[in-house]
Amino acid sequence: ENLGIPYLSAYLNSIGSNFTQGANFATAGSSIRRQNTSLFLSGFSPISLDVQSWEFEQFINRSQFVYNNKGGIYRQLLPKAEYFSQALYTFDIGQNDITTGFFINMTSEQVIAFIPDLMERLTTIIQNVYGLGGRYFWIHNTGPIGCLPYAMVHRPDLAVVKDGAGCSVAYNKVAQLFNQRLKETVARLRKNHPDAAFTYVDVYSAKYKLITDAKKLGFDDPLLTCCGYGGGRYNFDDKVGCGGKVEVNGTWVLVGKSCGDPLKRVSWDGVHFTEAANKFVFDQIVGGKLSDRPVPLRQACQSRGQ
């Protein structure tokens, strides 16, 4: 909305989609590494980052074949060939890799041990996009996972030691280490590909500021889920989420309902932020003050080799 362009269509939403402004290859619950489980068992996506990369390559090949050979209406729905080298490629991934490790009862040390592998895999994918013509990259770090109700409820042992904001120290320590390694990875990519532009965006700081300063910023309890069930500290039940039902006297009753004023909440469903919270985060990062290099979003495609 800020850039004045339409929302990106999902690549898998093939019917009736317009891809002239770009495409979205992200999926809910996705991770850098492939998950050795199913979506139904774990809630994490089978469409890992390497699969998204293959879909992107497919998208280039198929869209250009149709654009050039069928023409007509397809030229109003598909991108021109030159757009692929002019586009901004955005990455925001890694949080689910950390949480999946913790959710199968790994220790912090065990999760930290596979971060180098995550960086190698992410580097490979970004270089694949570079090889296919991409030259402008906008890469988010991961947020303060230890401030998300679902993370603390899943591993209460990791939530015993909390910081002043009520967030898990153990979770956030791993997130911070992930971000440190990611920043180093982006610096190496910048050095190895001087004809491209890589912007590292510190989303963690924006989100943590929102959580620590929530009351000052017009929000209420930042750790209290808006759309949830169960009351308690977080109003979060990992078995009955937003939109969830419970059986009462033989009848299923909707209990996972929204709070009265989502605009006042930071946490939407214990996993994701509300629209109001996401808007705050966006406003913090759009101008470039939390980026390395400090490039505003509107100029992210104008700074190659800098």
Side-chain angles (χ1 to χ4, degrees):
E1 291 175 357
N2 179 270
L3 295 173
I5 61 176
Y7 296 139
L8 298 185
S9 295
Y11 170 72
L12 295 178
N13 243 7
S14 56
I15 306 300
S17 291
N18 186 324
F19 293 110
T20 52
Q21 299 285 349
N24 184 358
F25 298 89
T27 64
S30 189
S31 53
I32 296 171
R33 300 203 299 181
R34 299 177 196 174
Q35 298 300 317
N36 188 26
T37 182
S38 74
L39 181 68
F40 302 102
L41 288 174
S42 68
F44 292 101
S45 174
I47 304 179
S48 50
L49 189 58
D50 56 349
V51 178
Q52 295 174 30
S53 175
W54 302 335
E55 290 175 345
F56 171 61
E57 188 168 0
Q58 238 179 33
F59 178 66
I60 293 179
N61 294 335
R62 293 178 179 179
S63 67
Q64 293 314 291
F65 176 83
V66 172
Y67 187 95
N68 293 321
N69 291 281
K70 292 191 178 288
I73 186 65
Y74 295 106
R75 296 202 171 187
Q76 299 174 38
L77 298 174
L78 296 171
K80 298 177 181 179
E82 59 265 30
Y83 286 1
F84 291 102
S85 61
Q86 298 169 355
L88 182 65
Y89 293 89
T90 62
F91 289 79
D92 187 324
I93 197 164
Q95 175 178 304
N96 290 327
D97 292 274
I98 296 172
T99 53
T100 51
F102 280 126
F103 289 2
I104 58 172
N105 292 321
M106 284 186 173
T107 64
S108 293
E109 290 71 25
Q110 288 173 317
V111 175
I112 289 169
F114 66 66
I115 290 178
D117 179 61
L118 297 179
M119 295 302 114
E120 287 183 20
R121 292 170 186 263
L122 179 60
T123 297
T124 297
I125 299 303
I126 291 175
Q127 291 187 146
N128 286 349
V129 175
Y130 175 89
L132 293 167
R135 290 297 181 270
Y136 304 101
F137 299 87
W138 179 270
I139 303 168
H140 289 182
N141 66 11
T142 201
I145 303 167
C147 301
L148 301 176
Y150 90 112
M152 291 189 280
V153 168
H154 270 282
R155 284 289 300 271
D157 57 313
L158 295 174
V160 172
V161 180
K162 297 181 175 67
D163 62 17
C167 303
S168 162
V169 171
Y171 266 116
N172 283 350
K173 180 181 177 182
V174 175
Q176 290 162 3
L177 184 58
F178 174 93
N179 291 340
Q180 181 181 332
R181 296 290 173 261
L182 179 62
K183 191 171 185 179
E184 294 165 0
T185 297
V186 171
R188 281 194 295 273
L189 284 163
R190 194 179 288 134
K191 181 178 179 181
N192 293 336
H193 303 290
D195 62 330
F198 297 91
T199 306
Y200 170 88
V201 187
D202 185 10
V203 172
Y204 184 103
S205 291
K207 289 184 173 180
Y208 195 69
K209 176 181 174 60
L210 172 58
I211 289 160
T212 55
D213 295 347
K215 301 287 175 64
K216 296 178 185 176
L217 296 168
F219 293 86
D220 57 21
D221 187 339
L223 304 185
L224 191 60
T225 297
C226 175
C227 187
Y229 171 72
R233 173 66 187 89
Y234 308 117
N235 189 38
F236 178 82
D237 185 324
D238 57 359
K239 296 180 179 61
V240 185
C242 181
K245 298 178 180 180
V246 297
E247 190 173 5
V248 180
N249 298 325
T251 302
W252 288 98
V253 178
L254 175 68
V255 293
K257 299 179 181 180
S258 170
C259 59
D261 189 359
L263 292 174
K264 293 290 186 181
R265 291 285 169 87
V266 172
S267 177
W268 167 243
D269 58 0
V271 183
H272 307 95
F273 277 16
T274 61
E275 282 291 293
N278 280 324
K279 174 67 163 54
F280 172 83
V281 172
F282 175 80
D283 289 343
Q284 293 293 299
I285 67 175
V286 66
K289 67 179 181 180
L290 292 178
S291 298
D292 177 38
R293 314 293 174 64
V295 178
L297 178 59
R298 286 182 175 273
Q299 297 175 21
C301 293
Q302 302 171 10
S303 57
R304 274 195 212 184
Q306 297 178 11

